[in-house]
Amino acid sequence: MTTDHAVDIDKHVRIYISVFVTLMVLTIVTVAISRFHLPIHLAVTVALIVAVIKGSLVACYFMHLISEKKLIYWVLGLTVAFFVVLLALPVLTHSDGFWIRY
Amino acid sequence: MDIPYTVEARPDTGLTNGKIGIWLFLASEVMLFGALFASYILIRTGAQTWPRGDTILNVPLATFNTIVLITSSVTMVMAWASLMRNRFGTFRIYMGATVLLGGVFLVVKYFEYSHKFETGLFPSKNNFLAIYFTLTGLHMLHVIGGMAVNAYFLFPGSKLWKTNPQWFTNRVENSGLFWHFVDLVWIFLFPTLYLL
């Protein structure tokens, strides 16, 4: 193992620790916000924003997506597109048949 | 016949076959959980009333479990980093901690589930409990699956380290990708089921 490689891994480990601390703080933030009993739309928005930040940290740093090969990005891009369609389906059913006729 | 490109990257993709395989599998997992999340949204928005999760579920226990799972994600990535640093002994400690933390998560979940059943809260009682048990139950199966693979790499599978350390490191990285995905799913399950 070269010295450069070892230094690189040491740098990664420091990042993992920082991400871990951030995730812990954000977990406490998530629970603390829920204690305020915000109106449901606001509560959902805030909870999802915090969850997306936490999820992105896990994906980018623990799953190394921040420095991954192009093919993985393509696979995930396609997955995200289908995932959005999947989540949009319930929304479409609530638009009084604008998209889906009964 | 040996599986090709387990150690060196395939020239056209720049990746090992194992890594492409695990990411394609995770893509299918996103769709599986996505379908259940979409069902949850549909059922919840269609319901006239919906209980706040914290009126039925145990938030302190779930918060503890969130901390446990996040910690296990860190120990998992540290296990991989230990192999990258050529420190097999440290790998065993971190991988052991990861499996142990997975076990702690399951024990807490057991107490949560048994308390629900003792008080007559079964999936058949209402839509909230049906979706709660479906999503957390499926997630729990993933935790068990991840623990089994990690335990394999901790004990019998670790023999590969002696003969082909780079392949073993790549396999642990792939196993870690699955484990982090399990953590990622919980990060979304926790607020949507317990706090909203």
Side-chain angles (χ1 to χ4, degrees):
Chain A
M1 188 186 290
T2 64
T3 315
D4 281 354
H5 181 70
V7 170
D8 203 35
I9 294 295
D10 285 346
K11 203 174 85 183
H12 274 92
V13 168
R14 280 196 294 275
I15 292 171
Y16 298 150
I17 304 296
S18 310
V19 170
F20 172 58
V21 173
T22 312
L23 288 171
M24 287 296 169
V25 171
L26 288 174
T27 301
I28 294 163
V29 168
T30 310
V31 178
I33 290 171
S34 75
R35 299 284 164 120
F36 289 117
H37 290 269
L38 297 170
I40 189 67
H41 286 96
L42 189 60
V44 169
T45 309
V46 173
L48 284 183
I49 288 172
V50 178
V52 166
I53 294 170
K54 285 171 76 180
S56 305
L57 285 172
V58 171
C60 287
Y61 295 101
F62 292 168
M63 299 172 92
H64 309 134
L65 273 185
I66 200 140
S67 56
E68 201 41 274
K69 294 282 184 295
K70 211 189 282 182
L71 182 66
I72 302 291
Y73 293 139
W74 276 105
V75 168
L76 288 179
L78 202 61
T79 310
V80 168
F82 279 106
F83 183 71
V84 168
V85 171
L86 197 62
L87 290 187
L89 285 175
V91 179
L92 298 181
T93 62
H94 282 264
S95 55
D96 291 334
F98 180 73
W99 290 94
I100 298 168
R101 305 278 175 200
Y102 294 102
Chain B
M1 199 177 91
D2 287 341
I3 305 167
Y5 302 110
T6 51
V7 176
E8 77 282 13
R10 239 179 94 122
D12 52 353
T13 61
L15 294 157
T16 59
N17 281 355
K19 194 177 235 187
I20 297 173
I22 191 75
W23 273 112
L24 287 173
F25 173 63
L26 292 183
S28 75
E29 290 279 83
V30 168
M31 297 313 286
L32 172 65
F33 279 100
L36 287 170
F37 267 110
S39 311
Y40 170 60
I41 295 168
L42 187 64
I43 293 168
R44 181 165 182 166
T45 52
Q48 289 189 331
T49 57
W50 191 267
R52 265 183 69 103
D54 56 8
T55 58
I56 297 172
L57 306 173
N58 191 325
V59 175
L61 271 186
T63 308
F64 175 74
N65 251 355
T66 307
I67 291 167
V68 166
L69 219 51
I70 289 172
T71 310
S72 79
S73 245
V74 180
T75 54
M76 182 78 224
V77 81
M78 291 299 280
W80 170 78
S82 302
L83 292 178
M84 292 293 282
R85 287 161 144 175
N86 220 9
R87 295 178 190 166
F88 185 71
T90 321
F91 156 77
R92 291 200 95 151
I93 293 168
Y94 279 123
M95 195 53 133
T98 308
V99 176
L100 199 70
L101 287 165
V104 171
F105 181 90
L106 291 180
V107 169
V108 171
K109 215 80 207 106
Y110 164 78
F111 283 117
E112 260 194 279
Y113 271 28
S114 32
H115 181 258
K116 295 283 161 297
F117 296 148
E118 278 164 18
T119 48
L121 298 175
F122 293 98
S124 55
K125 192 169 177 72
N126 57 43
N127 279 345
F128 173 80
L129 287 167
I131 205 82
Y132 163 76
F133 280 111
T134 307
L135 276 166
T136 57
L138 184 69
H139 178 265
M140 208 163 64
L141 286 178
H142 281 74
V143 172
I144 294 167
M147 276 175 71
V149 176
N150 286 341
Y152 171 75
F153 287 131
L154 181 61
F155 298 114
S158 68
K159 276 186 274 183
L160 185 64
W161 173 256
K162 288 181 188 148
T163 53
N164 196 336
Q166 188 54 51
W167 189 11
F168 182 67
T169 307
N170 290 346
R171 295 184 87 183
V172 168
E173 185 186 9
N174 295 340
S175 162
L177 286 172
F178 177 77
W179 191 254
H180 300 312
F181 174 78
V182 171
D183 180 27
L184 212 153
V185 170
W186 182 257
I187 283 173
F188 283 91
L189 282 183
F190 173 54
T192 47
L193 290 175
Y194 287 82
L195 302 176
L196 294 174

